[in-house]
Amino acid sequence: MIQAFGLTSNPRKDLPPAVDDVSFEAHAGRVTTLLGTAGAGKTTVLRLMLELQQGRGITYFRGRPLHRIAHPSREVGVLLGDVPGHPSRTVRGHLRMLCAAAGVPVRRADEVLEAVGIVSLRDERLGTLSRGMDRRLGLACLLLADPHTLILDDPTDGLSARESRWLHGMLRAHTAQGGTVLLTTTDPKEAARTADRVVTLEQGKVVADQDASVFARTRLRPRVAVRSPHAPRFAALLAKEARTTRRSVEVVPEAGNRLSVYGSTCAEVGEIAFRHGILVHQLADEIGDMGPGAGEKPWDEVGEAILGEVPSQASHEPQQLTGASRATCVTAVTVMDERELPPVTETQPHPADQPDSHDESDVPDEPSPYDGHDDRSGHDGHDGRDAPDDRNGDGGPDAGHEGENGDRDRHGDPGVRAPLPSLPPPISVRPAPSPLRPLRYELRRAAGISTGFVTCAVVLITSALTAVLLARIGHTPQQRLLAAWPRELPLPPAALGAGLLGALAFGDEFRHPALAADRGTVPRRLGLLTAKLLVSAATALMLAFLTVGCDAEVLYLFYGRELTKVPGDWLVLTASWTGLVVGCAWAGVLAAGVFRSTTAGLAAVVAVPVVVVPLVHQAVAGASVRAVAGLSARLREVFLMQWPFGGERYLLAAVRMIVQPVGGALTLSLTALLCAYLLTNLRSRVR
């Protein structure tokens, strides 16, 4: 279950907080709906619950806050808006990437695709999906790790009636297996029809927390509030008068000698009281407080009888409805329109539980679990809470039979209940935590779209053309010629490409936050950071060697072997070249992780030679009274060992790289960015 206590957003400038002291509970096995108009604070409440937004209050998911859950995606599935994924990624590739992030087998992707009915779209790009298919993919992402709790923000917005019924059927199937569902909506009719519990928000505050049946009866429709010491007698007189005039009037007894009369007016109720000498202490119109559109559709279109006597040509026995209406104690009279007066033999469905007329035309040949049936049932055909087996209330042979295949529908005709959609099979065995899980996720993230491959291709082509032009112009050293690095440019194309790929490693996480629901913001775990650094380093090394190889091959084709000879100090040059490219890639990763932007990551890479290098050069340009001569001998004395295979040469080459202005500037930048990253990580954890 979900327990939210005192959720309050931070105050805005000259405005009250969007959410102020919101507390509620969402129980397991039930659908809880946050209802309110646009701007009521529904999305802000969800973001506060998921720690996506700073504020006060705390939310417990089965007794633990989200930041205390080791694997949040296995406990809570979240869908806020559209599916958060790169538009160029395929449906199956997106799910396989999330499988690696959640630590579940990759075959789970195919299972959830089959459950939501989009197996045929597994090779489609996310950017080409329609609204309905996007919602199905979003539900597949929610069910991927088999979470207990599902949280959705206005999931039926923009969907057709058919897709909305299917989505609510999937959510109902999840609660039938003991799960918890919390969603938001702006439609009061949808809330009354599909939810078990309705929490109404208005201007960031909870104004009502009710069962769906009570909500549909007391907050959804206009009514006349009557208070009289003769309330039972007056209720009977109102029912008799309605039968006489054949009008649909519903009288609901309330506590404290109070009546709620639906389908009538204050003038009509007052006249009846005057004619029969009934003392009335209160008589007032009360309008449902659901905002614009709450009572636009007249509720007297269809008659209603709930636990009350209904005149009928076939039977005068008390009738009983199922679902949310069963819990409502109502004295009602059902009267049809004068233009069509068929014999009234059974009770009519509650308007809140009946789909709109245009919904039926959308799906003429496909049954839905919400077309004329009780939507609060589980897989076994039972109501799921406390529904009696005797639907007619008489226990006789005409009682509705409830079993595996179906029951009696709301109109009393025997029928087969449309089964709830099937969910993917549960995950019986959870894989043990593995240090390779972040690495698998990063590999699938990087290889799932063509951005990296296109960037590498552009870098190789640009480097080859630049090397040819530099060789034609002349006056360029061979080492710069092989790297395609003109003196006029701060960085060679390979270093810029590696920095861009590194910046995309974190920049895409913030632009298309596939992991946002898993950990509030993009996870700042050291495991994920290490995986991104390793993958970016491997990509940078590959790009560096491919660049030199392609440049050498092109120079050989155009100018022969003269420009492709191996330099004598190739080891130092190779170390410097790879260090530069890998350092730029790491700078892009760390800067994008700190500033949460791909552009900022690439800007930090360019700033190293443009800004940091001149500063470092000025710092070391002064006269030096000490030298590093004999460093290798002193290293052997310090470590008291003989370096095998001439290892002191490699160490000395690395030290010389760092001593150089570019190497020193890059090392300084990486150190500063790493410290900033760790500081923001620690700060977010403290918050």
Side-chain angles (χ1 to χ4, degrees), residues 18-19 35-43 45 201-205:
V19 172
L35 178 64
T37 58
K42 305 182 299 297
T43 303
V45 169
L201 297 179
E202 184 176 328
Q203 296 181 354
K205 297 182 179 180

Side-chain angles (χ1 to χ4, degrees), residues 580-601:
L580 175 66
V581 178
V582 173
C584 289
W586 284 357
V589 171
L590 294 173
V594 172
F595 300 106
R596 305 192 175 194
S597 171
T598 302
T599 305

Side-chain angles (χ1 to χ4, degrees), residues 374-396:
D374 186 4
D375 60 350
R376 310 212 191 302
S377 60
H379 289 290
D380 55 356
H382 289 276
D383 181 84
R385 291 180 288 180
D386 54 357
D389 290 337
D390 184 3
R391 298 274 176 166
N392 286 334
D394 54 6

Side-chain angles (χ1 to χ4, degrees), residues 2-227:
I2 303 175
Q3 296 172 300
F5 301 104
L7 297 179
T8 305
S9 61
N10 292 336
R12 299 165 291 177
K13 183 179 180 181
D14 300 331
L15 293 173
V19 172
D20 187 10
D21 195 22
V22 172
S23 301
F24 63 92
E25 292 184 355
H27 294 273
R30 308 188 73 186
V31 176
T32 304
T33 298
L34 294 179
L35 178 64
T37 58
K42 305 182 299 297
T43 303
T44 304
V45 169
L46 299 186
R47 294 181 64 84
L48 290 172
M49 293 172 56
L50 299 170
E51 303 175 5
L52 292 170
Q53 184 172 329
Q54 297 181 9
R56 299 188 299 275
I58 191 169
T59 303
Y60 291 103
F61 298 90
R62 290 204 290 182
R64 293 178 297 172
L66 188 65
H67 61 271
R68 295 293 184 185
I69 301 176
H71 302 287
S73 61
R74 301 181 184 178
E75 178 65 30
V76 183
V78 181
L79 180 60
L80 304 178
D82 296 334
V83 173
H86 198 286
S88 298
R89 202 179 303 276
T90 63
V91 170
R92 191 165 183 256
H94 182 74
L95 291 175
R96 288 170 65 90
M97 180 187 70
L98 295 181
C99 284
V104 299
V106 293
R107 67 175 181 274
R108 182 70 175 175
D110 297 325
E111 294 176 356
V112 295
L113 283 177
E114 183 177 358
V116 300
I118 55 173
V119 177
S120 59
L121 302 179
R122 57 189 174 189
D123 295 326
E124 296 292 328
R125 306 289 178 181
L126 299 187
T128 63
L129 297 179
S130 64
R131 183 71 170 177
M133 296 303 102
D134 182 87
R135 278 291 181 265
R136 287 177 180 256
L137 177 59
L139 191 58
C141 296
L142 264 66
L143 300 175
L144 195 65
D146 194 19
H148 176 271
T149 302
L150 301 183
I151 297 179
L152 306 92
D153 186 18
D154 204 0
T156 59
D157 181 31
L159 295 185
S160 64
R162 173 183 179 181
E163 292 291 344
S164 298
R165 288 194 295 268
W166 175 87
L167 179 61
H168 285 299
M170 292 291 291
L171 299 180
R172 182 62 60 184
H174 181 76
T175 58
Q177 295 183 0
T180 304
V181 173
L182 175 66
L183 57 91
T184 67
T185 185
T186 59
D187 187 1
K189 295 181 182 179
E190 178 184 351
R193 185 167 55 243
T194 61
D196 297 312
R197 189 88 181 167
V198 181
V199 180
T200 307
L201 297 179
E202 184 176 328
Q203 296 181 354
K205 297 182 179 180
V206 176
V207 296
D209 188 349
Q210 304 167 299
D211 283 336
S213 59
V214 179
F215 165 79
R217 175 169 55 86
T218 62
R219 298 181 63 83
L220 198 58
R221 297 178 289 167
R223 57 194 176 273
V224 178
V226 182
R227 190 181 302 275

